Amino acid sequence: MFKINHAVLHVFDFVSCVNVFSEDELDLTNKNVKSYVMRIARHALGGMDNRRGEFFPDSGFAAELSAYFKGERDFVDLSVQVAQFMSEELGRMENPSSCDLLVVDFEEEIAAATAAAEAAAYNARSEHYFGLLLLESKPAFMHEVGRGEDGATRNNIERHHAILPNPSQKIASFALVNARTMAVQFVDKPRQIAGEERWLIPDGLLQCSNEASSKELFDTTMGLVEEVAEEFGVNSAVAMGRAKAYLAENADDSDEVPFDEFVDEVFDDEGPRRRFEQAAADEQLGESVHMERDVAKRVSRNHKIVTDTGIVLTFPAEYSHNTELIEFKSAPNGLIQIELKNIGSIENR
């Protein structure tokens, strides 16, 4: 279940140099408005590129937001405060792009698996978020109905400069804060503001740390698995398939994947296990890697390999453990043999 509690839209028009800060919330009784806000928020929340952060102890925004979650701050007033800061900072850029700021308070109900998962039982909890999303205006052509000098109807083509992004598009800059944990996830990019390169959202507004996204951590981890496998003569396809299967199955509620258990599943021998742990430490990954469950399952579901003979093979990562379905063998001549087993039928795609 996805519920929008509050939403407001502020306009930053850097072409006319006029900013319009809304004094009232969006009308969520309008189905089109509610659908757009809901789809934008849901799309941002599920992004694989979302970076993570924690508020610094002296973060002024964290204090303001905490007061809002306690009911001590008005939603629109807080959104206007955010809009004023963002517009002033963006206005200090050499060529700022016009955009709208969508501020939204929403909830998502999450089904958490229990010990009775076999009986399809689950506990539902609702996560409460405060989000701010910069919607960059897109120029587009549109028709315009008018009349000519003789009064006849004339359809024309005009260029409109304030088209909101499609809800399915990636939002270039946004932040979401979990009300329960105060954990931050965001997407942003460095900007030249007053001649200085800055991350506007984490450094300027939120005052929080800037940590790698789950997708970046996944790519780094898989890269280390492949490097260690090749260094020790282990079949990298098997090792990476095992790694993906473990991540998909074990990214639990805490979103922490311990590396000591991980390497035991990926590598059979002690040598590559120790080498991977050392490589992970060199990359400053620590003793575990933080990876959201949904992201881990999405990126780890399948494993794709391409052979030097041009054959492309995609299979569920969990099959890496099952030699009854797929098996990789090293031939005496140093080549690799792949055997697919127990296939009932084959479809052309």
Side-chain angles (χ1 to χ4, degrees), residues 40-41 43-51 86 101-102 131-135 169-176 184-189 191 201-202 206:
I40 284 283
H43 189 65
L45 185 61
M48 292 194 299
D49 296 322
N50 294 6
R51 301 178 73 85
M86 297 290 282
L101 175 67
L102 175 64
L132 51 102
L133 306 98
L134 277 178
L135 310 179
Q169 287 181 261
K170 286 187 176 181
I171 306 302
S173 296
F174 67 84
L176 306 171
V184 179
Q185 53 180 301
F186 67 91
V187 168
D188 200 15
K189 57 187 177 183
R191 294 177 171 87
I201 289 180
L206 303 183

Side-chain angles (χ1 to χ4, degrees), residues 147-168:
R147 294 187 180 277
E149 294 181 359
D150 58 358
T153 299
R154 175 189 294 170
N155 296 330
N156 204 357
I157 297 175
E158 295 291 341
R159 186 175 176 87
H160 200 289
H161 293 272
I163 303 298
L164 293 174
N166 189 289
S168 61

Side-chain angles (χ1 to χ4, degrees), residues 242 259-268 270 273 277:
R242 289 180 177 181
F259 275 137
D260 55 351
E261 298 177 6
F262 175 79
V263 293
D264 287 344
E265 289 292 323
V266 175
F267 298 110
D268 294 327
E270 191 65 24
R273 291 175 184 173
E277 291 173 348

